[in-house]
Amino acid sequence: MKIFIAGHRGMVGSAIFRSLSKSQDHQIITATSTELDLRDQSAVNDFINKIKPEVIIDAAAKVGGIMANNTYPWQFLYDNVAIQTNLINAAHKNDVEKFIFLGSSCIYPKLAEQPLREDSLLTGPLEPTNEWYAIAKITGVKMCEALRKQYGRSYTSLMPTNLYGPGDNFDLETSHVLPAMIRKFHDAMVSGHSPVTLWGSGTPKREFLHVDDVASAVLHVLNGSMDHSLYNLGTGKDLSIKELAEMVQGITGHKGEIVWDSSKPDGTPRKLMDVSRLGNEGWTYSIELEEGISDTYDWFLENVENFKEVKITD
Ligand SMILES: NC(=O)c1ccc[n+]([C@@H]2O[C@H](COP(=O)([O-])OP(=O)(O)OC[C@H]3O[C@@H](n4cnc5c(N)ncnc54)[C@H](OP(=O)(O)O)[C@@H]3O)[C@@H](O)[C@H]2O)c1
């Protein structure tokens, strides 16, 4: 298959790229954001029309944690709507057979019943700190659904839970909770086991999935015929942020104190995915959290000298 992976240098895109590159069966096409700005509609149309892929995997997005979402609502809304709209529309116009859209579990209402089922979409208000990003992603889900409904397109949305793994963003200004913890515990350990301050109360519960498991789910969708337009992607298991902190502390070898800064927001109290829909299609995760964090910490140690700061820009 001729496959265009949008966002192949990102954490998720690079895991998909690594996984698909193992097979000789696929011709993989990539473009960096400098070569092809996916917010540029005519450039995207020209590119897709020229390369004529059979499959597009959309792992390109403006991504960040609570602080970045809160500070840059315009970039999180506009960039994500533009990127996915241009790609999905170009796929449809050019008869691309399969489209796999990667979104996020933040599309579900803040107080939706746990574990989160796909049919809880649009049943209540969103978590305000990331509603800009969530609204963009909901639009992408609905675009794939509309094309499936009206034109019978095999366009599928995968909504992963919190992801982590090699290639993650460890810049404390824009990173997610798990890589931020790895960075903080590592830095504190290096500076003589100084105390580590973490946001919130530590009581919210979260679920985490290794990016190599995302790649395996993408492969599953690529090779199968999916009954639904929208699937949750996760492990179906969660733990408290406090338990996570203790796990990361153990893996990094930090021996100092953990201080919880309750003046900072906690976000959604619990976020656990109901993963039975994708389970019924025959897919399940394979990397347990402790093993996955160790693997990620090894990658961090090998790459810590080369990290770039990840800034949100216009
Ligand atoms: N990280 C998570 O915890 C998580 C959780 C759930 C879902 N997801 C979803 O997974 C997907 C990928 O996330 P990620 O963590 O891999 O993000 P990431 O590491 O920040 O990578 C995002 C990629 O998007 C590309 N990109 C951004 N703006 C672009 C533009 N204007 N034009 C072209 N390319 C652009 C970047 O390309 P360049 O490198 O070439 O600049 C980058 O490679 C997103 O849809 C996200 O919602 C992520």
Side-chain angles (χ1 to χ4, degrees), residues 47-232:
F47 181 81
I48 300 299
N49 185 263
K50 192 167 153 218
I51 63 166
K52 299 226 179 304
E54 292 157 273
V55 176
I56 297 179
I57 299 168
D58 179 8
K62 182 77 84 185
V63 178
I66 296 177
M67 189 150 81
N69 267 269
N70 244 341
T71 317
Y72 302 101
W74 170 247
Q75 278 80 10
F76 277 86
L77 182 56
Y78 171 75
D79 283 23
N80 287 311
V81 167
I83 290 169
Q84 70 206 26
T85 303
N86 293 341
L87 280 172
I88 297 169
N89 182 53
H92 173 54
K93 293 280 173 230
N94 288 283
D95 263 336
V96 172
E97 286 164 34
K98 278 199 176 182
F99 192 99
I100 302 176
F101 173 62
L102 284 151
S104 153
S105 60
C106 71
I107 61 165
Y108 295 115
K110 175 174 178 156
L111 299 176
E113 196 185 316
Q114 306 276 335
L116 295 164
R117 289 190 319 275
E118 289 86 349
D119 61 12
S120 67
L121 188 66
L122 295 172
T123 56
L126 298 164
E127 158 63 41
T129 49
N130 58 20
E131 66 180 358
W132 320 97
Y133 183 70
I135 285 169
K137 292 292 184 183
I138 292 169
T139 308
V141 168
K142 286 293 172 188
M143 284 184 162
C144 290
E145 191 183 324
L147 288 169
R148 182 177 278 259
K149 184 177 155 88
Q150 194 176 336
Y151 297 96
R153 295 269 181 220
S154 289
Y155 291 3
T156 307
S157 301
L158 292 176
M159 296 302 114
T161 185
N162 301 293
L163 302 176
Y164 70 98
D168 213 336
N169 165 20
F170 293 93
D171 179 340
L172 290 178
E173 260 189 54
T174 48
S175 58
H176 288 121
V177 59
L178 208 167
M181 276 186 191
I182 292 178
R183 168 118 238 176
K184 284 184 175 184
F185 280 113
H186 172 81
D187 289 353
M189 199 249 312
V190 171
S191 64
H193 300 277
S194 54
V196 166
T197 301
L198 298 173
W199 278 30
S201 63
T203 54
K205 298 188 83 179
R206 292 289 184 274
E207 175 185 5
F208 296 91
L209 184 73
H210 194 281
V211 274
D212 288 351
D213 274 327
V214 178
S216 108
V218 165
L219 213 66
H220 192 83
V221 174
L222 208 57
N223 294 327
S225 157
M226 309 306 282
D227 288 340
H228 296 272
S229 168
L230 171 63
Y231 291 88
N232 290 342

